[in-house]
Amino acid sequence: MAIGELADGLTVNLDHVPRKYEGLDGTELAISESQERMAVVLDSADVQAFCEAAARENLNAKIVAFVTEEPRLRMEWRGDRIVDIARSFLNTNGVTQNAQVYIEAPDGDLNYRKLVPECLAGKPLAEAFRENLARLEVCGQRGLAERFDSSIGAATVLMPFAGKYQMTPEDAMVAKLPVDHGETDDATAMSYGYIPGIARFSPFHGAAYAVVESLSKLAVVGADPMKARLTFQEYFERLKDVPSRWGKPTAALLGALTAQLKLGLPAIGGKDSMSGSFENLDVPPTLVSFAVAMTKASKTKSAALQKAGSALVWFPLPETEGSMLPDWEKIPGYYKEILSRMENGDILSASVVKEGGVAAAAAKMAFGNRLGISMDRNMEDAATLFAPASGSIVAELREGAEFPASARKVGNVTEEASIVLGGVSMPVEELTKVWNSRLEKIFPNEAPEVPLSVDVPLWTERSGKAPAIHTARPQVFIPVFPGTNCEYDTARAFEKAGAKPEILVVKNLTAADIEETIVEMDKRIRQSQIVMFPGGFSGGDEPDGSGKFIATTFRNPRIAEAVADLLENRDGLMLGICNGFQALIKLGLVPYGKIVEPSENAPTLTFNTLGRHISKMGYTRVTSVKSPWFAGVEAGDVFAVPLSHGEGRFVADDATMAQLVANGQIATQYVDLSGAPSGNVQWNPNGSVCAVEGITSPDGRVLGKMGHSERKSENAYRNVPGEKDQRIFESGVAYFK
Amino acid sequence: MGLRAPEMGEHMSDVIRVFVEKKPGFDVEAQHIKADLVENLGIRSLTDLKLLNRYDVSGLSRQDFEKALTMVFSEPNVDNVYHETYNAPEGYQVFAMEYLPGQYDQRADSAAQCVQLLTQGERPQVLTAKVIAVSGKISQEEMEKIQTYLVNPVESRLASLEKPESLDVQAEVPGNVQRVEGFIRWDRQRLESYYASMGFAMSLEDLEFCRDYFRDEENRDPSVTELRVIDTYWSDHCRHTTFSTRLTEIRIEEGKQKAVTDAIEDALKLYFATREELYGASTEKPVSLMDMAVIGAKSLRKKGLVQDLDISDEINACSIEVPVTVDGKTEPWLVQFKNETHNHPTEIEPFGGAATCLGGAIRDPLSGRAYVYQAMRVTGSGDPTVPFEKTLKGKLPSRKITTGAAQGYSSYGNQIGLATGQVTELYDSGYVAKRMEIGAVIGASPKSNVVREVPAPGDVIVLLGGSTGRDGIGGATGSSKAHTEKSVEVCGAEVQKGNPPTERKIQRLFRDPQVSRLIKR
């Protein structure tokens, strides 16, 4: 357990370890570990301050051990000293075993990086091009990746999928540092490298190229790979006592070591697992290289093609013929050329060759903005197109840029969205479908089209309402429930807009905690001009529905009264985003403007039609500017807003819809690229009725919306085009001026 | 552990039971389960499937329950509710499933917390189960197939349809920790039979080593706890036993192309040259995989090429010191990153295994007082599109593993609130042997937030966050044990579910510099 490693000499009292239920014995208490439990070493004088701080965060904290002079690990349970072991003995890590290693020589004729995949060999190029995209090793994984929130923190520089269609996967992830105030341009880039086929051919080469692939992936997003720090993940079969099995991790580590020493880039961490066997089956020899480098958000590049008229070029990786290894001496220069051409504006976008070869890399680059490529004659060769020349880079070169001597022409970027190869024209839309549909049954992207049953005209009339009492710096009350996670981003957005955010962590460990919280909430709401419900997963979106913690708490008579006072007597504002919107609608604050009993026909938010979480940028139109929250924009304005939710499907019957429309309460809608509300899952990803993204109370002072308008900052999501700032927070503050 | 039997003359049950079913149009999960059973399991005769959440609640007045019903347990615009009993329509077969006792159930936990927010009284007890009703000409055999498909025995079981008298859990007071009597006098043969009975992750040689230690240094028999603690401490997962193995001989096969073999020979020579340069020619330091893994960084550091490395005695994430400019002002920050695998737990219980993979990865930079803001996920899977029938005996289908793991990892990450910037699954038939589930995370904090001091006698260890249960036991040793067909049945206690809201509270707490600066380690 983690406690045992904190100091050489320790006496642990297991009776003080909080337990979930009775009946655990000393051994069970001694060896249980968990990620949501943490042990810290404190000076005894600081314990009280620390435990009080923990209590404010709704956390249990308990003294369980003391550091002792004598270097022994001791544990006591019910007055019995059940563990008393010398640290020196524990630190031996047991008996050192011996093993012999035999590294089997790879057969260079089977160099995976040079071979056309068997399933494509001999096929006409255009047919192979299409089939390549549907291969399991190559196909799109959007349905998988979109389940993961990629924008929380408002610091994400690259969304996982780029372009206005969000169809080009990025090679690395880039995020700005999590500063709690102000703006920074400093960002981290992180990537991985590993291709099972190469490692099967040769674990040694597999590891060397895993390192290079991870570095190239940093280069294509504009980070300097020669300043990277690495960490490895090894995963191998059970080694038993068989020298040739030991040969695999040995060869892999030697390959990775060579890369580190030749490039001067260290692996400063790593983790291994040698349990990858089941009966006669073994995992492929796996060494995944993770690379991390500091970079600048403002210089970050995407993999999505930007502009018709550009040239698409391939920079083959410098390699040593006989050894089949990268040419270590030339690698730094290789990256330097890429980075300097990014710096001077020659390279507009770039991507790394992986499984699928240059062909798949180029196609995926075209998917994001749906541009075409007219492929060059010298690409009409299966090995050039399809061999996984991992770590090499394909780049989009600005029209008129000087052609690099080390590069080969792939083709020209065209306005017409087709890839033309050997006289055969393949529409990009269709290729995207081929690429996307392989895993459709496992990780779905498709859901039935939602009919837009009610027409929602733009509402341009602004509510003239103004508060009786003006204030230059309104106070915003932001409650944090267990599971809320957007309060930092929300508070920052309000602070930037000139408001004074007040975060309160809801404490609920005991009945007394809850009572204290209710009293405090009541007080703070009455001091505030705005109440904001931030996003997150209050209560983990359980029991089987979202926003229940918030809604239940706000139905407390004392709190409900404070809210009524805010809205009815003090002309205050309320805002709820995502989980906050779910809570507002469940309370009735939208669309009714007050807390009402739940009823059978009330509109609500429920599970996305896809049956899974979605995270992507959504295009939304401001349909009504009645609300003061939209004072800074015009009806019809379209924004790109981060979406991330599992229960965002707005549901209302036609009668309710008609009422909302007639009163200008449909605030925002999901739209397609033409700016028209859409029932298609690509643009309306949760399947909302009439593409509704946000609604307001009758007079517009309470706004609930799904899109995370608070997740905005300089250079965020720069690989997805569109205006991202809806000026909601600024408008809310301006209302009180 | 089990449910308490009713005693004679006791009052009527205080347990309130309610069934909640999503209305048509809202029943997304039921429709997905139905499609899964028809398309993937091949139950073509299945015509309809109903899914209900069953809540058993005690410690709550009838009046409070009525209030909770429309706020917590159900919503009138979304759910249908059935009190006490659920009578499925004609022609439906019904069964229920529930988590194994002691398994963390976020639904039940949140329901209890939410009811308490409503009543402001004591927290009630809540147990949940899922009730499934299916219609169509479904044979007994097909019913069993459905149940086997939906109930993963390492975490859940079929539930009784009867309402219990009470939700109290009868916990027996555990006996004292046993000493392993005579251990220090045992010969190898006696040790061997003991070894066989204990399911240790360590080797028999390690156990002999323990015997010698307790005999020669402690002059007493060990407790069972001591052997378990040592086993956990030494297991592969924590301390890389395999990686520390001394490699007594390394031979390289002469292959078809000399240049390729030479490249490997050169790499080996480079390794030995680096050892000599670092440790001297006559070093006793064993040649090992661990040495090969870390020697590159050691050598480059000696050459002054790793200026940014942040060195400390703390065992946690990779840490580098970098300048960060905020609003024009530059200050030193620590950036910490870490990769973690949960291959074995994810293989046997995909949701919990993958969720706690991420939770575990976050834990290290977090304990280093970094705010973890991004995650990457790289996984390895067998072809998930192969039909269910081709699943190996003793394995879950690749499809179930990969979709369950995606759900678990994303649910944890989405709840704790970090941006997952890249998700990639590698498909290779080898990962049928065992799935690969890697989480890599990155965190950062101003350097001034991190104080590192050597613990001194009299210092105090404070335990923070969630309580301890059986589900956290064996996480370290389980992955080190050999994996066979039996694994799915016997590993039950090792499966952990995550509780992301609790880990997030720790994230919030440690982000406060006033608090983080109190932490010595």
Side-chain angles (χ1 to χ4, degrees), chain A residues 2 6 18-21 23 27-28 33-42 57-58 60-62 64-65 67 72 78 80-82 84 86-87 90 92-95 97-99 101-105 107-109 141 147-149 170-171 173 175 177-178 182-184 186 188 190 192 200 229 231-233 235 238 258 271-272 274-275 278 286 441-442 484-485 487-488 508 511 537 539 542 544 548 555-556 586 600 602 649, chain B residues 22-23 25 53 71-72 75 77 107 110 113 120-121 123 174-176 179 203 205-206 209 213 218 220 223 225-226 233-234 240 243 245-249 251 253 256-257 267 297 308 325-327 339-341 343 356 363 373-376 384 395 399 407 409 414-415 418 420 422 424-425 428 431 433-435 444 457-472 479-481 496 499 504-505 508 511 520-521:
Chain A
L6 283 171
R19 57 206 77 191
K20 287 182 185 162
Y21 36 78
T27 305
E28 291 172 317
E33 62 162 5
S34 157
Q35 54 282 325
E36 62 258 10
R37 225 167 19 246
M38 188 140 327
V40 294
V41 183
L42 302 172
E57 293 294 344
N58 199 28
N60 264 321
K62 231 167 157 201
V64 293
V67 177
R72 292 182 76 83
R78 301 197 311 203
D80 183 10
R81 181 166 287 181
I82 58 172
D84 189 350
R87 176 66 54 180
L90 275 175
T92 61
N93 289 324
V95 180
Q97 315 268 346
N98 291 327
V101 177
Y102 181 67
I103 299 174
E104 289 173 349
D107 179 352
D109 296 336
Q141 302 186 349
R147 300 178 73 132
F148 298 76
D149 187 345
E170 296 289 4
D171 286 316
M173 64 183 200
L177 276 277
E183 275 284 351
T184 185
D186 288 303
T188 49
M190 187 184 212
Y192 86 93
R200 278 185 185 287
R229 298 292 174 254
T231 172
F232 297 146
Q233 182 76 52
Y235 184 29
R238 256 175 205 292
T258 303
K271 198 85 204 223
D272 57 88
M274 301 284 155
S275 63
F278 178 78
T286 307
K441 292 232 147 158
I442 313 294
T484 295
N485 61 24
E487 79 277 16
Y488 286 125
N508 74 334
F537 292 79
E542 292 287 358
D544 204 21
K548 291 181 174 178
R555 283 188 189 278
N556 177 293
K586 286 173 186 190
E600 220 165 296
R649 173 162 56 116
Chain B
K22 291 265 174 287
K23 292 180 180 177
N53 288 319
M71 284 190 225
V72 181
E75 299 165 88
N77 43 357
R107 176 160 298 163
S110 280
Q113 287 188 50
Q120 294 180 55
R123 195 172 288 186
N176 291 333
R179 268 54 183 182
S203 66
E205 288 71 32
D206 284 331
F209 186 48
Y213 164 76
E218 302 293 340
R220 64 173 171 86
S223 70
T225 313
E226 286 178 311
Y233 208 87
W234 286 350
H240 331 276
F243 254 50
T245 298
R246 180 190 291 267
L247 307 180
T248 53
E249 180 191 72
R251 288 182 302 131
E253 183 190 13
K256 260 162 73 176
Q257 298 90 358
D308 57 359
T325 306
V326 184
D327 290 346
N339 51 297
E340 178 75 80
T341 49
N343 305 323
T356 53
R363 195 188 142 89
Y373 56 99
Q374 245 194 338
M376 177 180 281
K395 287 280 183 195
R399 177 180 196 284
Q407 204 185 343
Y409 192 112
N414 295 350
Q415 286 189 52
L418 51 69
T420 306
Q422 198 177 29
T424 312
E425 187 144 277
D428 185 286
Y431 293 120
K434 201 187 263 186
R435 177 183 179 76
D459 282 351
V460 169
I461 312 281
V462 167
L463 193 59
L464 196 62
S467 302
T468 296
R470 289 201 180 82
D471 50 351
S479 62
S480 304
K481 285 183 222 162
Q496 231 180 334
N499 182 346
R504 178 161 203 277
K505 292 178 195 170
R508 270 189 61 86
R511 200 177 192 185
K520 288 177 136 188
R521 176 175 283 186

Side-chain angles (χ1 to χ4, degrees), chain A residues 99-104 237 239-250, chain B residues 249-251:
Chain A
Q100 292 179 349
V101 177
Y102 181 67
I103 299 174
E104 289 173 349
E237 61 206 39
L239 304 180
K240 303 174 184 168
D241 281 328
V242 182
S244 62
R245 292 172 80 90
W246 280 88
K248 293 175 189 177
T250 307
Chain B
E249 180 191 72
I250 302 175
R251 288 182 302 131

